[in-house]
Amino acid sequence: MFFIRADGNTQIGMGHVMRCLSIAEAAADLGERCKPVFLAADDECRSLIEERGFRVIVLHTDYRDMMSELSQLEKMLLRERDLLLVDSYQADSAYFAAVSKLAVTVCLEDMGTPYPVDLLINYNLYAPKLAAQYRIEEKPLNTLLGAEYVPLRHVFQADTAYTVRDRVTDVMITTGGSDPYFAAGAFLKAFLAAECMFSCGHEKNPITWHIVSGPFNAFAKELKEHFGGRDNVVIYEGLKDLKALMKRCDVVLTATGSTVYEICALGVPMIAFYFAENQRQGAQELALLTDIVNAGCFGVDQKAVTDYAEKALKRCVCDKDYRALLHRQERRLIDAKGAGRIVSRIFQLQWETEIS
């Protein structure tokens, strides 16, 4: 069997689960026998995974203490036949050394840490620069590195046509599955106060602000209380069709994460920022490879990031040629086939293990 071990909650957001769901969809395309089963520490992300058609086994453990689940994994995994894909910043080398004895083990990794697994995947734009770090006792690990392995959801693999319009009338703000610092509120407050800056020579250039409130947004109530009554502010909770909203918008301000690659698949002009250290390299590489503005770490300097994002948005609003440039650059970054490549290599790995 193929198992995927991932968690999502208010503390860590939904990024791990979302990218694993993309891989799960690609595996399911190969047939029912290849369809994975998810393993999660608790119930917080269960409904989201089940809505996408996948079974979830809840381990009833603490997601921060992954060693505590080993006794359960020992009972359900068979090294000769089972695959285990792990996506968690809580998993360490000791955990991977243990589970690698129980199943053919694959991990998704972002920070350049070499884990003792059968296959390590880092699909980030900066991943090839970390290749020299993925060694254990001077031996290179089996790896898949770079943006050709970005696991996009099915919906972002087709119908990606997008037109850069003459005027900016719709702007989307998304902070991912959670919003630990109420960043959406800070950005929106600043943008609304500076709306006159976005006229760019036009007598009237009204903008509708589309705010995506993720499933673990601790400030969802405050967002509605502060901005819900405005005619030009739309707040989305439980949004089912993110792609349609992206295609409707002229600019997206986004936290660095899986959403960045979905935006790139469409080529919607974007402004990026980040919350945590594990997102820093992605934001910096995005700015290095394109003309996208990396507004910085919101958790470190909220005022500076908000001001930088405001200036970047003004440029997007006032310069169609700049938006067209971002569109072309983003579309060149990925080809939307990454999930299929990952699944193909994973099952090839299982086959190689069975015959060895």
Side-chain angles (χ1 to χ4, degrees), residues 182 185 211 213 217 219-228 235:
F182 199 22
I211 317 301
S213 181
N217 184 358
F219 294 97
K221 181 180 178 181
E222 289 85 347
L223 195 59
K224 289 182 286 187
E225 288 177 348
H226 284 84
F227 307 105
I235 299 171

Side-chain angles (χ1 to χ4, degrees), residues 113-161:
T113 305
Y115 291 119
V117 293
D118 297 286
L119 178 66
L120 183 148
I121 303 166
N122 185 338
Y123 62 75
N124 291 287
L125 293 169
Y126 57 83
K129 296 180 179 180
L130 304 179
Q133 297 178 216
Y134 291 125
R135 305 175 69 89
I136 294 180
E137 296 179 352
E138 300 307 313
K139 295 181 180 180
L141 293 174
N142 187 15
T143 59
L144 299 178
L145 306 178
E148 65 183 297
Y149 300 104
V150 171
L152 288 181
R153 290 184 283 159
H154 274 165
V155 68
F156 287 95
Q157 296 177 28
D159 185 27
T160 58

Side-chain angles (χ1 to χ4, degrees), residues 64-116:
R64 294 163 296 188
D65 180 15
M66 296 190 68
M67 295 297 285
S68 66
E69 67 194 38
L70 289 179
S71 61
Q72 294 187 67
L73 298 185
E74 288 173 353
K75 296 175 183 178
M76 67 176 70
L77 298 176
L78 295 172
R79 170 73 195 184
E80 294 78 14
R81 294 202 299 268
D82 290 333
L83 289 166
L84 176 65
L85 170 64
V86 180
D87 186 4
S88 172
Y89 293 141
Q90 311 304 317
D92 58 15
S93 292
Y95 175 86
F96 282 115
V99 296
S100 290
K101 297 176 182 177
L102 307 176
V104 177
T105 304
V106 180
C107 78
L108 286 172
E109 205 282 323
D110 295 328
M111 303 298 291
T113 305
Y115 291 119

Side-chain angles (χ1 to χ4, degrees), residues 46-323:
R46 180 174 186 168
S47 60
L48 175 67
I49 298 171
E50 290 180 339
E51 284 174 5
R52 297 281 285 273
F54 297 97
R55 180 186 170 205
V56 182
I57 297 176
V58 177
L59 301 174
H60 299 290
T61 55
D62 185 340
Y63 80 94
R64 294 163 296 188
D65 180 15
M66 296 190 68
M67 295 297 285
S68 66
E69 67 194 38
L70 289 179
S71 61
Q72 294 187 67
L73 298 185
E74 288 173 353
K75 296 175 183 178
M76 67 176 70
L77 298 176
L78 295 172
R79 170 73 195 184
E80 294 78 14
R81 294 202 299 268
D82 290 333
L83 289 166
L84 176 65
L85 170 64
V86 180
D87 186 4
S88 172
Y89 293 141
Q90 311 304 317
D92 58 15
S93 292
Y95 175 86
F96 282 115
V99 296
S100 290
K101 297 176 182 177
L102 307 176
V104 177
T105 304
V106 180
C107 78
L108 286 172
E109 205 282 323
D110 295 328
M111 303 298 291
T113 305
Y115 291 119
V117 293
D118 297 286
L119 178 66
L120 183 148
I121 303 166
N122 185 338
Y123 62 75
N124 291 287
L125 293 169
Y126 57 83
K129 296 180 179 180
L130 304 179
Q133 297 178 216
Y134 291 125
R135 305 175 69 89
I136 294 180
E137 296 179 352
E138 300 307 313
K139 295 181 180 180
L141 293 174
N142 187 15
T143 59
L144 299 178
L145 306 178
E148 65 183 297
Y149 300 104
V150 171
L152 288 181
R153 290 184 283 159
H154 274 165
V155 68
F156 287 95
Q157 296 177 28
D159 185 27
T160 58
Y162 176 84
T163 301
V164 177
R165 292 170 279 272
D166 292 334
R167 300 271 292 273
V168 172
T169 59
D170 294 87
V171 174
M172 173 178 150
I173 300 173
T174 175
T175 60
S178 61
D179 188 353
Y181 302 99
F182 199 22
F187 286 126
L188 188 53
K189 180 180 179 181
F191 295 162
L192 289 171
E195 278 188 299
C196 60
M197 290 177 55
F198 305 130
S199 61
C200 299
H202 302 291
E203 184 177 347
K204 288 185 178 181
N205 192 51
I207 292 176
T208 298
W209 307 92
H210 302 269
I211 317 301
V212 179
S213 181
F216 297 127
N217 184 358
F219 294 97
K221 181 180 178 181
E222 289 85 347
L223 195 59
K224 289 182 286 187
E225 288 177 348
H226 284 84
F227 307 105
R230 291 178 171 268
D231 293 338
N232 64 333
V233 175
V234 185
I235 299 171
Y236 301 84
E237 292 184 291
L239 182 63
K240 299 299 183 183
D241 195 347
L242 180 62
K243 177 184 171 183
L245 179 58
M246 286 181 181
K247 294 184 77 169
R248 175 180 174 180
C249 290
D250 303 292
V251 182
V252 176
L253 171 63
T254 179
T256 308
S258 299
T259 304
V260 163
Y261 297 108
E262 295 175 345
I263 296 169
C264 285
L266 303 176
V268 185
M270 86 171 86
I271 302 163
F273 70 96
Y274 61 99
F275 286 122
E277 176 62 21
N278 64 285
Q279 298 175 324
R280 176 184 57 80
Q281 288 177 290
Q284 291 177 341
E285 193 70 13
L286 196 64
L288 183 64
L289 295 175
T290 71
D291 287 84
I292 292 169
V293 168
N294 165 23
C297 183
F298 193 87
V300 171
D301 193 335
Q302 300 182 15
K303 178 67 164 57
V305 172
T306 302
D307 289 346
Y308 205 179
E310 185 178 306
K311 293 175 184 177
L313 179 58
K314 182 179 179 182
R315 183 181 180 187
C316 285
V317 172
C318 297
D319 190 345
K320 180 187 176 183
D321 289 340
Y322 173 58
R323 286 184 282 117

